[in-house]
Amino acid sequence: MTESVLAAVRTAPSTTELQEFPMPELPDDGALLRMEVAGICGTDVKMYAKPVIAEPVIMGHENVGTIAKAGRGFVERHGLGEGDRVFVEHYVACYRCEWCKLGEYRHCEATDWRTNPDARRYGYTSCEKPYHLWGGFSQYMYLPWNCVIHRVPDAVSDAEAGIITPLSNGIEWALFDTGVGFMSTVLIQGPGQQGLSQVVACVQAGAALVIVTGRSRDRARLELARTLGADHTIDVDLEDPLERVHELTGGNGVDVVLDCTSGAGTTPVLLGIDALKRRAGTLLVQGELAAFPDFPIKKLTEKAITIKSARGHSYRAVELAIAQLASKRFPLHLLTTHEYGLDDADLAIRAVGGEIGDGVVHVSLLPWKE
Ligand SMILES: [Zn+2]
Ligand SMILES: [Zn+2]
């Protein structure tokens, strides 16, 4: 094993530097992960331009790797050790609070940088903190006793494992949060990796009608949505999406609206409220905007709409996402369109941000790729 570890460090907004770190000295309850894939998502694009942590950070919060070295305490606790390939949730939990007991590590304060200045979260933690290797844009990552890991079966390739996070979110948001199931009607806004993952979750759950919206530049993604089982797609640049939804639902509207857009302002929420059925529909929102001017709360309450927040994934959602990938029921490899090496971390993030043109669905960083 090498003496030092190479990592791409975000040193300032939109700036990456390759840096070397010493190989960490492992405590008995820690482990070292040899990185295979770090998936990149829209959150990385935002955090790269406007970091939420001022100190230098190794980004990469959707991580898969092989345990290269593990202390005895770590193996005892996790039942996983050297040679096991694992998906690492970005939440580093306390394992003591009520949320952790429920497998809802996403809600644990130990991993919440918003309320806890000493929080640990992969891709969001200063590399000046002990053990340094707190992100996936690195050859190795440090795993403390309180990491949250899942075994990845051999049937799932490294590239496929790179999309475990969006698929987990698909299961969490569509199935657990908004209750999509047998014969549900659903509008998914945005055909990116997250929207497409919702399609897969909704189709497998038995939804009767899945409609996906996108822009003219998303032509290939909308086609992929149909390949994955969406019944209809709407190009909002060419068609009136509300009119189309009413046409496709016999004037009834849909049961559930899932907002998976990025940078679209208030439009998707306003469309969602109008596209939902007459009473008791459910709307999942992203909360990209700090405030919502002229929010139509009257319409919302008159329609008895429930709002749910897009807020990561639970342990169970990840387990189901891995099982779904392993089942090979859907051609999910079609989502994994671009791969970059560590040298190109900056380019990889910009590719997700749409800077290299169309055709990008999911981008993976492979830290050992030449
Ligand atoms: Zn992400
Ligand atoms: Zn906790």
Side-chain angles (χ1 to χ4, degrees):
M1 200 177 282
T2 48
E3 291 300 300
S4 62
V5 178
L6 200 60
V9 180
R10 183 189 68 218
T11 51
S14 303
T15 309
T16 298
E17 263 175 44
L18 281 186
Q19 291 182 7
E20 279 191 6
F21 293 86
M23 189 61 85
E25 291 279 337
L26 289 186
D28 176 66
D29 59 3
L32 192 67
L33 187 79
R34 185 188 192 274
M35 281 296 301
E36 310 287 358
V37 187
I40 304 178
C41 78
T43 302
D44 291 300
V45 178
K46 279 173 235 159
M47 290 202 310
Y48 192 46
K50 289 190 185 137
V52 294
I53 310 286
E55 294 91 55
V57 166
I58 303 170
M59 291 176 68
H61 63 275
E62 307 187 353
N63 301 312
V64 176
T66 304
I67 297 175
K69 219 166 133 184
R72 211 173 51 122
F74 185 95
V75 176
E76 263 169 25
R77 175 177 285 271
H78 291 281
L80 293 164
E82 272 179 45
D84 285 320
R85 197 159 54 117
V86 296
F87 170 75
V88 184
E89 294 193 30
H90 56 309
Y91 317 118
V92 181
C94 78
Y95 279 94
R96 286 188 289 262
C97 74
E98 60 175 320
W99 295 116
C100 287
K101 301 282 180 202
L102 292 166
E104 299 279 4
Y105 304 107
R106 58 191 168 143
H107 297 320
C108 175
E109 204 183 4
T111 193
D112 190 349
W113 51 270
R114 292 178 188 84
T115 52
N116 176 6
D118 198 38
R120 293 290 188 279
R121 177 177 291 211
Y122 290 105
Y124 291 72
T125 299
S126 164
C127 60
E128 286 164 356
K129 305 238 184 204
Y131 299 105
H132 313 299
L133 306 175
W134 294 106
F137 294 0
S138 170
Q139 292 172 327
Y140 290 92
M141 223 167 62
Y142 175 66
L143 302 179
W145 68 270
N146 51 340
C147 66
V148 182
I149 55 178
H150 302 255
R151 184 200 292 278
V152 178
D154 294 341
V156 177
S157 71
D158 287 343
E160 289 170 327
I163 57 169
I164 289 173
T165 301
L167 286 180
S168 304
N169 292 342
I171 291 164
E172 189 72 44
W173 304 349
L175 309 193
F176 299 169
D177 287 335
T178 62
V180 171
F182 187 62
M183 298 307 280
S184 297
T185 56
V186 190
L187 173 66
I188 297 165
Q189 301 189 63
Q193 53 169 313
Q194 198 50 76
L196 295 173
S197 296
Q198 310 289 333
V199 170
V200 168
C202 292
V203 170
Q204 179 142 6
L209 180 69
V210 176
I211 308 167
V212 181
T213 63
R215 313 287 304 266
S216 290
R217 61 161 190 262
D218 298 319
R219 211 176 48 85
R221 294 173 174 193
L222 290 172
E223 197 183 312
L224 184 49
R226 293 191 297 272
T227 303
L228 292 171
D231 299 285
H232 301 278
T233 55
I234 301 172
D235 178 341
V236 300
D237 290 327
L238 301 177
E239 301 167 281
D240 178 341
L242 184 59
E243 220 170 77
R244 283 285 288 144
V245 169
H246 281 148
E247 243 172 66
L248 294 168
T249 57
N252 290 324
V254 293
D255 299 324
V256 171
V257 173
L258 300 159
D259 175 12
C260 297
T261 58
S262 169
T266 58
T267 309
V269 172
L270 295 174
L271 171 63
I273 290 171
D274 285 335
L276 282 171
K277 60 189 178 184
R278 191 181 67 85
R279 279 289 158 89
T282 306
L283 174 66
L284 179 112
V285 298
Q286 292 285 344
E288 265 188 351
L289 301 164
F292 199 115
D294 302 323
F295 184 79
I297 194 156
K298 187 160 187 289
K299 205 183 262 183
L300 181 102
T301 52
E302 281 175 357
K303 291 182 82 172
I305 290 169
T306 300
I307 290 191
K308 294 283 189 162
S309 308
R311 197 75 279 141
H313 49 255
S314 59
Y315 189 88
R316 181 161 159 68
V318 176
E319 286 291 303
L320 291 172
I322 293 172
Q324 190 183 41
L325 270 168
S327 77
K328 308 281 178 188
R329 182 161 179 206
F330 293 85
L332 292 168
H333 62 276
L334 296 175
L335 265 69
T336 61
T337 53
H338 289 66
E339 293 181 345
Y340 295 94
L342 208 49
D343 289 351
D344 287 326
D346 174 85
L347 179 60
I349 297 168
R350 289 194 285 115
V352 178
E355 286 187 39
I356 67 158
D358 309 344
V360 176
V361 179
H362 182 268
V363 174
S364 291
L365 191 108
L366 310 179
W368 298 90
K369 183 182 162 80
E370 289 299 321

